[in-house]
Amino acid sequence: MLSDFIVKYYIFLLLPAAFILDAIFGDPEWFPHPVRFIGKLISFLDKKLYSPKDSAFCAFSKGALLFFSVFFSSGIIVFVLQKFAWKINPIVGFAFDSFVACTCIAPHDLCRQSANVAKELKNKNLSGARKAVSRIVGRDTENLSEEGVIRAAVETVAESTNDGIIAPAFYIFLAGPVGGMLYKAVNTMDSMIGYKNARYEYFGRFAARADDVAGFIPARFSAFCTILAAAFLRLDALSALKIFLRDRYKHQSPNSAQTESAFAGALGLRLAGPAYYGGILEKKPTLGDAKRKAEAEDIFRANRLMYVASIFSCAILLFVRAMILNFL
């Protein structure tokens, strides 16, 4: 029976199902996406808990309270709904799990949004490209050159290959949809309050450190898959490995430059470097070597690299699971 087949091969079906659903439906803005609810909860608690009058210890403690509130709420809600769905029927349960897992990854939307940037550039519409890239990056984009726009889009694809695809897939592999949603909660908190500025230096520190821990293994796994994907796509895999080993710790975060450095080497581009955020210049080190000038086609190359790296990651995870089961 179908139910028995689903139960027996659950993990081997879940990740492929999540990627297939994402490829078909993507992330429509009208749909009530679970990660958006996490973002709203973070914003609500941020407004309720943060106070500029707090001491460093108090701000850190409140930030930790926010973290655990969001973390456990996200996991418990998915866990309860999952149990309810599986009690109805294994098919319903698997459908629910596939839906949640699909919402944890975002290759389709990432590819679509970044491709819009490349299309505007190919139409010689730099202002349109700046507007398009502003939807997927946090930096100021109104004064970016054409090459700056391209590099910003490629950097986002590289970073999101880990944060938005391979890392959540890794936790789905370990703990199903609950694991994937817990990782998304941690990563979303880091992206919203994990900044080193006057407001979040202490209040967001716990979330930032938790994200460093959660992303430590997936970031390196993502870089490894990127290097394999570069070889498969006949990009510069040797340079991807070289730049990864040389530049992977150049960012303040122990994880941020891992996959991005591999992308820089594979594409022969210099990424990262100084950028403006809210009108303030942040002096970041560069990653990779500028072997040539960036071009719009590099965004499409980055997207192909992202997709193939994601496929490799799933294949490796499922192979490891099969080997484990074979020895048990």
Side-chain angles (χ1 to χ4, degrees):
M1 290 181 63
L2 180 58
S3 296
D4 295 332
F5 180 81
I6 288 173
V7 172
K8 184 176 182 180
Y9 297 103
Y10 172 79
I11 195 62
F12 297 99
L13 298 172
L14 182 60
L15 280 177
F19 276 88
I20 290 170
L21 287 174
D22 178 78
I24 296 172
F25 299 108
D27 181 18
E29 294 184 4
W30 55 267
F31 194 78
H33 199 291
V35 177
R36 295 195 187 104
F37 287 110
I38 291 175
K40 289 181 180 179
L41 178 58
I42 295 168
S43 296
F44 172 78
L45 292 175
D46 182 8
K47 293 176 183 177
K48 293 294 182 181
L49 294 174
Y50 174 80
S51 172
K53 297 179 181 179
D54 287 336
S55 65
F57 177 77
C58 185
F60 178 82
S61 300
K62 286 184 176 181
L65 175 62
L66 182 152
F67 175 86
F68 285 114
S69 298
V70 174
F71 183 80
F72 286 115
S73 296
S74 302
I76 290 170
I77 290 171
V78 173
F79 179 79
V80 170
L81 292 176
Q82 180 189 38
K83 292 300 179 183
F84 178 75
W86 277 88
K87 280 188 177 180
I88 297 173
N89 186 283
I91 297 175
V92 175
F94 181 75
F96 173 80
D97 287 3
S98 299
F99 162 73
V100 175
C102 173
T103 64
C104 292
I105 60 173
H108 180 279
D109 194 57
L110 175 63
C111 183
R112 179 178 61 85
Q113 295 279 13
S114 57
N116 286 340
V117 179
K119 290 174 183 176
E120 293 290 354
L121 290 172
K122 289 198 169 187
N123 290 331
K124 307 298 182 183
N125 184 4
L126 180 57
S127 62
R130 287 168 173 163
K131 185 176 180 180
V133 81
S134 70
R135 300 188 184 102
I136 58 174
V137 302
R139 73 190 64 183
D140 300 342
T141 63
E142 58 270 15
N143 295 315
L144 287 179
S145 64
E146 179 176 335
E147 188 170 10
V149 168
I150 295 167
R151 289 170 54 220
V154 170
E155 288 165 27
T156 295
V157 172
E159 185 176 358
S160 297
T161 296
N162 175 55
D163 293 347
I165 306 169
I166 296 179
F170 177 81
Y171 283 101
I172 291 168
F173 166 77
L174 290 180
V178 175
M181 194 56 65
L182 287 175
Y183 173 77
K184 291 303 295 183
V186 173
N187 188 247
T188 303
M189 282 187 276
D190 177 62
S191 66
M192 292 181 66
I193 65 172
Y195 296 103
K196 285 188 176 181
N197 56 25
R199 181 182 178 92
Y200 295 121
E201 181 179 3
Y202 298 105
F203 186 75
R205 183 171 294 184
F206 194 97
R209 294 296 173 266
D211 186 67
D212 289 343
V213 173
F216 189 86
I217 293 175
R220 287 145 185 82
F221 178 52
S222 296
F224 173 71
C225 293
T226 298
I227 295 167
L228 289 181
F232 180 84
L233 292 170
R234 296 185 178 181
L235 297 172
D236 197 341
L238 187 60
S239 180
L241 176 60
K242 173 188 171 183
I243 299 302
F244 165 71
L245 294 174
R246 190 190 75 187
D247 294 349
R248 62 198 176 113
Y249 287 119
K250 281 191 173 181
H251 280 188
Q252 290 182 338
S253 164
N255 304 326
S256 296
Q258 301 286 328
T259 309
E260 195 174 331
S261 60
F263 265 74
L267 298 173
L269 300 177
R270 177 172 291 150
L271 301 178
Y276 283 91
Y277 294 83
I280 300 173
L281 177 65
E282 286 194 19
K283 296 182 179 180
K284 297 180 179 180
T286 58
L287 306 174
D289 299 321
K291 295 183 177 180
R292 57 181 179 80
K293 186 178 180 180
E295 57 187 19
E297 186 62 30
D298 285 317
I299 299 175
F300 294 115
R301 293 187 185 106
N303 282 333
R304 289 192 290 270
L305 190 57
M306 173 268 292
Y307 262 115
V308 175
S310 301
I311 292 170
F312 271 122
S313 72
C314 287
I316 292 170
L317 290 173
L318 296 180
F319 176 78
V320 169
R321 185 58 174 258
M323 291 298 98
I324 294 172
L325 292 176
N326 186 53
F327 284 106
L328 290 179

